[in-house]
Amino acid sequence: MRILFVDDDPDARVLAIRAVAQEFPNAGFREASDLVSLDQTLLEQAPDILVTDFDLRWTDGIAIFDRVKATNPFCCCVMFTGTGNEELAVRAIKHGFDDYVVKGAKQLRRLATAVRTAYDRGRELRELGENRDLVLKELYHRLHNNLQIVISLLRMTEKAIATQGDREQLADLGRRIQALSALQEEFYRSEDFRKVDFAAFLQRLAGSLTELKVGYVRLTSRLEAMVLPVDLAVPFGLIANEIFTNSLKHALPEGRSGGLSVALERLGDRAVLTVADDGDGVRGVDLFAATSGLGMRLIGRLTEQVGGEISFERGDTGAICRINVPL
């Protein structure tokens, strides 16, 4: 453990170190009295604990806090100063300091206790965060496995159904659950469970759907790197699944070969997904009405849920669908 003391007064640093050493006898203590010594210390190794004065000839304690936190965001920080008041104490705590101690010989024991309490509290919070991440990762993994079991059961049931229309509806349901499973896999692979690599998800989803298609499908993708929050990624991912499925089903029916183009880009504060095919497409001006089945109703509701916009048009050789959602 490394503890950094920043103060212009060498006597104040000695007294503070002596007091804190009673709580951390095995720690490594470093001192900084100017910008050069501070930068040299931070360059060698970021501290785990910072004790700093506020009123320094060359800067102030708030700036020291920012500089140290940039090297170690988990460093616990205590302000130990004699040139402050209640207003400064409130400002320091709001800025992120763990505690504020008024400088003085009788306050040295209070300083040591404040540093120990701040460090222990920070360590407990980090451990809780790490445990939470492990639990979430395991939950995502198990949910992904359970979804795979559901998909397998649906496929077994699909084979046992005699009616073609019923089999197709069950297969569509299986593909929707598969899309959710693919999103779950991106979740537990991510370092931050609140976000997902949406471009990677689209690439995997489009690839898996085209592989299931009877007949060769040439997949072209142009996906801008984009990380989305879970609340947006889930409905947007389900929309993408319905659009891909709709294009493959209506543009390339009965094993017909063709091409599917997928593009994802950021335009201002919106994400735009464009899906185009060069197959039979859906003829007529009102493409939305021509494909107003369950999948299209689901697209409409999910698009409304995320505040997005969707459009359909005839391309030179097929149909084009564009959907944009606010980021």
Side-chain angles (χ1 to χ4, degrees):
M1 181 190 299
R2 291 167 61 91
I3 306 178
L4 172 63
F5 294 80
V6 183
D7 200 309
D8 288 332
D9 185 349
D11 294 334
R13 294 199 302 272
V14 170
L15 292 173
I17 291 173
R18 186 180 301 167
V20 175
Q22 297 178 24
E23 291 288 340
F24 301 93
N26 299 319
F29 299 98
R30 297 298 303 270
E31 303 176 49
S33 58
D34 53 36
L35 183 59
V36 174
S37 58
L38 175 65
D39 285 344
Q40 182 62 37
T41 299
L42 296 180
L43 183 63
E44 292 173 1
Q45 185 177 347
D48 302 295
I49 299 173
L50 167 68
V51 178
T52 181
D53 195 358
F54 173 75
D55 190 8
L56 302 163
R57 290 188 297 270
W58 43 283
T59 187
D60 63 56
I62 301 296
I64 297 294
F65 173 95
D66 293 338
R67 212 176 188 92
V68 171
K69 281 287 191 176
T71 62
N72 179 14
F74 301 108
C75 178
C76 69
C77 304
V78 175
M79 182 175 287
F80 186 51
T81 183
T83 56
N85 50 31
E86 292 182 359
E87 182 179 346
L88 176 60
V90 172
R91 178 186 172 195
I93 297 301
K94 283 187 175 181
H95 197 75
F97 276 88
D98 295 280
D99 209 339
Y100 176 97
V101 181
V102 177
K103 187 182 291 186
K106 295 183 179 180
Q107 291 286 82
L108 291 173
R109 184 57 201 164
R110 163 83 173 83
L111 172 65
T113 302
V115 172
R116 165 56 72 182
T117 301
Y119 179 76
D120 290 347
R121 183 171 60 244
R123 183 178 59 185
E124 290 174 0
L125 290 174
R126 288 194 299 274
E127 290 175 352
L128 286 173
E130 291 171 358
N131 291 335
R132 181 200 62 187
D133 289 346
L134 287 174
V135 171
L136 282 175
K137 193 176 186 69
E138 180 62 20
L139 286 174
Y140 278 135
H141 180 67
R142 292 194 179 192
L143 179 56
H144 175 263
N145 289 341
N146 289 338
L147 288 174
Q148 292 300 311
I149 293 174
V150 172
I151 292 169
S152 298
L153 292 174
L154 286 173
R155 288 174 178 169
M156 292 174 60
T157 305
E158 178 187 345
K159 294 178 181 179
I161 294 178
T163 306
Q164 177 65 24
D166 293 339
R167 287 201 303 270
E168 290 181 358
Q169 289 187 20
L170 205 59
D172 287 342
L173 177 59
R175 282 190 286 270
R176 291 178 180 118
I177 297 176
Q178 183 65 58
L180 284 173
S181 177
L183 273 171
Q184 289 296 141
E185 188 169 357
E186 292 296 333
F187 292 160
Y188 75 73
R189 285 182 176 181
S190 173
E191 295 181 357
D192 186 347
F193 299 121
R194 297 168 297 179
K195 300 179 181 179
V196 62
D197 184 342
F198 198 68
F201 161 73
L202 288 179
Q203 186 67 52
R204 292 183 58 217
L205 178 63
S208 63
L209 289 175
T210 53
E211 288 175 1
L212 293 174
K213 184 70 178 175
V214 178
Y216 173 71
V217 177
R218 182 181 66 262
L219 176 62
T220 303
S221 58
R222 182 172 54 82
L223 305 173
E224 180 179 338
M226 196 173 297
V227 177
L228 299 182
V230 171
D231 291 344
L232 176 58
V234 170
F236 199 11
L238 291 174
I239 292 170
N241 176 71
E242 294 300 325
I243 293 174
F244 293 162
T245 302
N246 189 70
S247 293
L248 293 171
K249 182 177 181 180
H250 294 283
L252 306 172
E254 300 176 356
R256 184 185 185 280
S257 297
L260 182 69
S261 172
V262 181
L264 177 69
E265 58 185 336
R266 185 190 303 268
L267 295 179
D269 60 350
R270 304 185 78 86
V272 181
L273 173 65
T274 303
V275 181
D277 63 70
D278 62 0
D280 292 338
V282 181
R283 304 304 179 186
V285 177
D286 193 354
L287 299 177
F288 188 91
T291 56
S292 57
L294 174 61
M296 193 55 65
R297 293 199 301 272
L298 181 59
I299 290 175
R301 290 182 181 180
L302 290 172
T303 301
E304 182 179 356
Q305 174 183 325
V306 296
E309 299 174 349
I310 190 168
S311 65
F312 299 86
E313 60 186 81
R314 284 281 301 278
D316 294 336
T317 58
I320 300 174
C321 173
R322 287 190 180 89
I323 178 169
N324 70 81
V325 299
L327 296 174

